[in-house]
Amino acid sequence: MNFSDFIEVGAIRADLKALDKETVIEELVEALVQSGGIQPQDKMSIVEAVMKREELGSTGIGRGVAVPHTKHANVNRLIGTVGISRNGVEFASLDGEKVFIFFLLVSPPDRPTNHLRALESISRQLRDDTFCRFLKQSKTPEDILLLLEEADDDRKADKKS
Amino acid sequence: MWNRVVSREVTVVNPQGLHARPADAFARRASQFESVIDVVKQGQRVNGKSILDLLMLAAEEGTVLTIEARGGDAEDAIEALVSLMEQVNSYDESAKSSPNP
């Protein structure tokens, strides 16, 4: 799956302000509201559901990255966004480190395959140290978008060869 | 004994597939052993101690995975990981996270 299949371009954020877990999740969900990806009236129930999932175990998977996610009945396709925090957020990560890179995912309740494929695309890319470093250093949403597009292009080229 | 290789096949029966939480549980348990732990899906071989590696498999319901352990505690590792897979196969987030069940 390509990033362009699920990342809402209008919701990408290069300068997240939040310093704690709940606020950063709210900021990311708000970004999806602003891009039109989710309805304003669904915002709080999505934030709550994402927080509930975090209680089961942090999605801070190490390397300064977290993939907070949930299912929600009112989205009809997998949507997500990327946010970068300059100062880092305490996220109870598996490795105890602060999180700088966030991929937030919201999926329809009955489509586990797309969720797995999105996690695959994200984890594959995050194993690349250069990608992580460039992502962390991104100053604008355009920088981030460019990195995601390059990653998509590389994946397509790999498949052809 | 040191180069002992033990492997076992397991099937992912969780309708959600091997999503983030079971992958995390697997990587943590695997990391408690000295043995090298690989997980193989149709020729794709990844490090069983890394959650990023496990998520890269995108193992859906019905996928057959081979868990392979190499090292002094390979047998114990395989036992532990196969039994963990049976437990994580029942992890389901939908009941808890859906706002409109």
Side-chain angles (χ1 to χ4, degrees):
Chain A
M1 183 181 273
N2 293 317
F3 287 118
S4 61
D5 294 328
F6 62 96
I7 297 291
E8 292 269 304
V9 172
I12 297 175
R13 295 289 180 270
D15 56 347
L16 294 170
K17 302 279 183 281
L19 297 172
D20 64 71
K21 193 175 222 181
E22 183 154 8
T23 323
V24 80
I25 287 169
E26 202 180 324
E27 204 175 352
L28 291 161
V29 176
E30 175 60 27
L32 282 173
V33 172
Q34 285 173 12
S35 76
I38 60 171
Q39 298 299 310
Q41 62 268 28
D42 292 330
K43 180 183 160 185
M44 285 328 287
S45 66
I46 290 177
V47 171
E48 276 167 31
V50 173
M51 283 302 288
K52 251 190 194 153
R53 165 60 185 83
E54 290 297 325
E55 283 167 19
L56 299 173
S58 177
T59 60
I61 53 179
R63 303 190 142 218
V65 179
V67 283
H69 57 263
T70 189
K71 304 187 192 80
H72 197 278
N74 294 354
V75 299
N76 54 18
R77 63 179 187 91
L78 171 67
I79 55 168
T81 187
V82 188
I84 308 298
S85 162
R86 220 134 296 291
N87 297 315
V89 178
E90 295 293 349
F91 212 76
S93 285
L94 306 181
D95 61 1
E97 301 291 324
K98 280 185 175 182
V99 171
F100 295 86
I101 302 170
F102 294 88
F103 283 87
L104 178 93
L105 302 173
V106 185
S107 12
D110 53 346
R111 234 81 55 82
T113 305
N114 284 348
H115 176 71
L116 280 181
R117 297 222 170 111
L119 287 177
E120 176 198 5
S121 303
I122 295 167
S123 50
R124 182 181 300 275
Q125 216 50 54
L126 293 176
R127 283 162 32 113
D128 179 345
D129 291 332
T130 316
F131 178 81
C132 284
R133 200 170 60 242
F134 283 165
L135 204 51
K136 225 169 126 175
Q137 291 167 352
S138 297
K139 299 265 185 296
T140 65
E142 290 72 28
D143 292 348
I144 298 172
L145 183 61
L146 209 62
L147 282 169
L148 298 179
E149 284 173 349
E150 276 174 18
D152 280 348
D153 288 345
D154 288 351
R155 194 169 317 112
K156 283 176 208 156
D158 279 352
K159 272 188 185 155
K160 271 180 203 154
S161 62
Chain B
M1 282 297 280
W2 281 104
N3 289 317
R4 193 157 170 70
V5 181
V6 187
S7 72
R8 195 91 66 83
E9 280 189 352
V10 291
T11 304
V12 178
V13 298
N14 185 334
Q16 316 292 320
L18 191 68
H19 58 91
R21 211 149 48 91
D24 171 31
F26 190 99
R28 278 176 199 242
R29 193 77 182 92
S31 300
Q32 291 168 352
F33 295 93
E34 277 179 53
S35 292
V36 171
I37 314 280
D38 284 351
V39 178
V40 187
K41 174 195 161 190
Q42 294 163 349
Q44 187 181 5
R45 176 178 290 267
V46 302
N47 176 2
K49 297 182 181 181
S50 155
I51 180 171
L52 284 180
D53 274 39
L54 291 170
L55 289 177
M56 251 177 55
L57 293 176
E60 294 172 42
E61 181 184 19
T63 304
V64 177
L65 299 174
T66 305
I67 308 173
E68 194 181 288
R70 268 195 320 280
D73 55 6
E75 305 250 5
D76 291 346
I78 287 290
E79 285 303 322
L81 292 169
V82 168
S83 104
L84 181 110
M85 276 301 286
E86 283 161 8
Q87 290 165 34
V88 299
N89 268 333
S90 65
Y91 282 11
D92 181 11
E93 288 165 18
S94 59
K96 285 176 178 160
S97 59
S98 173
N100 304 315

